[in-house]
Amino acid sequence: MLGAWNFTFDETSKHLSTPDLLITNIKGLVQVRERNIERVAGNAMSELPILENAFLAVDGDRIASFGNMSGLQSREAKKTIDASGRFVFPSFVDSHTHLVFAATREEEFVMKIKGATYAEIAAKGGGILNSARKLQGISEDELFERSLPRAWEIIASGTGAVEIKSGYGLTLKDELKMLRVAKRIGEQTPLLVKTTFLGAHAVPAGMLKEDYISSILAEMIPAVAEEKLASYIDVFCEQGFFSPDETEKIVEEGKRFGLKPRIHANQLHRSGGVQVGVKTNALSVDHLENIGSEEIDLLKNSTTMPTALPGAAFFLNLPFPPARQMIEAGLPIAIASDYNPGSSPSGNMQTMISLACIKMKMTPEEAFNAATLNTAAALELSHEVGSICVGKKANLFITKPIPSVAFIPYSFGTSYIGNIILNGNLIY
Ligand code: NIG
Ligand code: FE
């Protein structure tokens, strides 16, 4: 802990009026950054600055000031929370989800227990095509009603900003429907939502792949851009889905329409996904269960954020990304949930952090950096969220009384979140 840290702010960062919210006696204010930094990589991933015995003031939806309790000039505030014995964290940023979907798929879960592989289930019309059939059969309003509880569920588990993908529509009308629902979630909940067009998630049943790719290029990308429904474009680059060449063609067309790439890469095979991600200057390459030194070397010479999805590796019994090797090579790592009905039916970032620690041998400090600062960078939100920094959005959670930061991943499966503040408002 960095109890001796002494933060000094210029005049503009001192709150001049009575703050809307003052949190006092904070046992540890986690991820405090005097100056905003974009992301952390390599050895710097293990530095998680914590200010002991701290206060934090919120004005409107912004962090107005913070510091040691000894430096708190006035206790006047519209609302005060005494956080004795409790830690304050910046909300998690979940940079990879598919949380808009029509129905769960626990029947496939049972098939997998009995020995079927993900690829075998997909080949029988299960998997993504199963989700697409169900989603195509319901209205936009119905899809919103079914997806909204998942948004509130991730809020309750500490997430404040989230990326949501399409990819269970697989027709022009249904992909647009999914993205409209994802945007509505951003409008009707306190979550900060970024959306991604993932038309190239699977080839619809009964359609030739080349015809579907033509439709993505000629119809879907222009329509998504026209309605401003997404910031990003994604492709499931994987054997049996889309090849690296097809991926490149699709994301390059997306780029022409202002959609920046992020890629599903190297989940089931060493499919060339990382190579095409780096080549197309993708913001992130996500999954990485199957990578080696070649992919790690390529990522070292790029700005692409390597993103682990430990929930999917766990749920599908896949190898976990080689986090130690990646960090030793100087890479950053981000951690996201991949919340979806087929391969990671959990959007709980505390669980993801536990898995990263237990299965990927990341330290709690590295895992928290990966799930806040680095995911914010992967979503181009570093200026807004991901750390406790004056001027950033007041998206935070206050824990229940706990002994240390490591206690959170250690107590896997139990949440120690006490209060949630999003956009400066107390939500729970
Ligand atoms: O990220 N890998 C591709 N897409 C999802 C799973 C989709 C599904 O099974 O519904 C993933 O794991
Ligand atoms: Fe995914």
Side-chain angles (χ1 to χ4, degrees):
M1 286 231 205
L2 300 168
W5 270 35
N6 192 10
F7 286 84
T8 48
F9 304 115
D10 60 29
E11 281 309 308
T12 51
S13 68
K14 278 190 187 152
H15 54 264
L16 302 170
S17 55
T18 309
D20 291 321
L21 174 66
L22 181 63
I23 309 172
T24 57
N25 301 314
I26 303 166
K27 180 172 178 174
L29 182 58
V30 183
Q31 189 64 294
V32 281
R33 302 282 173 172
E34 194 173 355
R35 264 179 207 86
N36 192 26
I37 54 167
E38 268 286 306
R39 60 192 210 164
V40 281
N43 289 338
M45 284 207 63
S46 63
E47 291 156 22
L48 182 71
I50 301 172
L51 187 64
E52 289 179 341
N53 192 27
F55 75 88
L56 181 138
V58 173
D59 256 335
D61 68 346
R62 300 283 144 180
I63 297 172
S65 62
F66 62 83
N68 281 106
M69 279 303 286
S70 57
L72 180 60
Q73 283 157 7
S74 161
R75 283 174 185 260
E76 220 180 286
K78 294 187 186 128
K79 180 172 178 57
T80 301
I81 299 176
D82 181 354
S84 296
R86 311 196 284 152
F87 286 77
V88 172
F89 283 76
S91 299
F92 297 119
V93 179
D94 189 349
S95 60
H96 182 139
T97 83
H98 311 245
L99 73 74
V100 170
F101 57 84
T104 54
R105 300 201 324 244
E106 59 279 5
E107 64 289 349
E108 293 178 10
F109 169 66
V110 176
M111 286 164 75
K112 271 181 237 140
I113 292 169
K114 293 182 177 167
T117 65
Y118 185 77
E120 283 163 1
I121 292 169
K124 284 187 190 152
I128 296 164
L129 296 187
N130 181 358
S131 281
R133 258 191 322 275
K134 288 174 175 154
L135 187 137
Q136 288 164 0
I138 62 171
S139 69
E140 187 176 315
D141 285 343
E142 178 65 24
L143 183 60
F144 177 73
E145 292 308 323
R146 293 190 194 184
S147 304
L148 188 62
R150 290 179 213 120
W152 283 106
E153 172 198 304
I154 66 168
I155 288 171
S157 64
T159 296
V162 65
E163 182 257 18
I164 306 177
K165 300 176 194 294
S166 68
Y168 292 131
L170 308 185
T171 69
L172 172 64
K173 145 174 135 341
D174 295 298
E175 284 293 302
L176 298 182
K177 175 169 91 183
M178 275 190 88
L179 289 170
R180 289 191 199 111
V181 167
K183 287 204 106 172
R184 268 168 79 182
I185 287 175
E187 287 152 14
Q188 297 191 26
T189 73
L191 284 172
L192 178 52
V193 172
K194 287 274 195 123
T195 49
T196 300
F197 169 59
L198 175 59
H201 198 192
V203 178
M207 200 165 178
L208 285 177
K209 182 151 73 164
E210 59 188 74
D211 292 343
Y212 185 54
I213 292 177
S214 299
S215 145
I216 290 174
L217 300 177
E219 298 173 305
M220 294 189 184
I221 290 174
V224 167
E226 163 82 26
E227 224 185 294
K228 296 191 170 37
L229 285 173
S231 306
Y232 307 117
I233 185 160
D234 194 345
V235 176
F236 187 17
C237 183
E238 183 57 62
Q239 287 179 27
F241 292 84
F242 296 89
S243 71
D245 285 349
E246 290 159 349
T247 302
E248 182 175 350
K249 195 167 168 188
I250 293 165
V251 303
E252 285 300 338
E253 187 61 7
K255 278 161 83 170
R256 285 210 316 121
F257 283 83
L259 305 174
K260 296 184 187 172
R262 44 190 343 112
I263 312 267
H264 275 75
N266 298 58
Q267 180 181 19
L268 306 173
H269 302 92
R270 276 181 90 170
S271 54
V274 169
Q275 281 80 348
V276 70
V278 170
K279 184 174 178 196
T280 58
N281 208 10
L283 281 163
S284 68
V285 282
D286 302 23
H287 273 293
L288 312 181
E289 286 88 342
N290 289 284
I291 61 167
S293 308
E294 189 186 320
E295 284 85 358
I296 290 175
D297 285 344
L298 271 173
L299 285 164
K300 277 201 296 203
N301 299 313
S302 79
T303 54
T304 301
M305 178 63 73
T307 302
L309 308 172
F314 172 69
F315 194 78
L316 298 182
N317 264 316
L318 297 174
F320 284 77
R324 290 268 48 100
Q325 203 187 330
M326 294 162 76
I327 291 171
E328 270 151 38
L331 289 181
I333 300 183
I335 292 172
S337 74
D338 198 17
Y339 194 0
N340 78 76
S343 67
S344 184
S346 167
N348 189 315
M349 289 294 279
Q350 295 171 81
T351 306
M352 302 308 144
I353 285 174
S354 288
L355 288 172
C357 294
I358 297 160
K359 305 298 282 187
M360 294 163 62
K361 305 244 175 291
M362 290 175 74
T363 64
E365 289 80 7
E366 289 169 339
F368 279 112
N369 274 322
T372 53
L373 263 185
N374 283 355
T375 38
L379 290 184
E380 303 181 292
L381 289 174
S382 299
H383 57 293
E384 280 287 273
V385 293
S387 64
I388 303 290
C389 202
V390 170
K392 276 198 179 181
K393 238 184 211 301
N395 280 9
L396 336 153
F397 62 83
I398 310 176
T399 66
K400 294 174 183 162
I402 55 169
S404 67
V405 163
F407 187 77
I408 292 193
Y410 160 85
S411 321
F412 78 96
T414 306
S415 176
Y416 284 89
I417 292 180
N419 303 95
I420 289 166
I421 292 150
L422 291 180
N423 308 313
N425 298 314
L426 191 59
I427 307 287
Y428 284 100

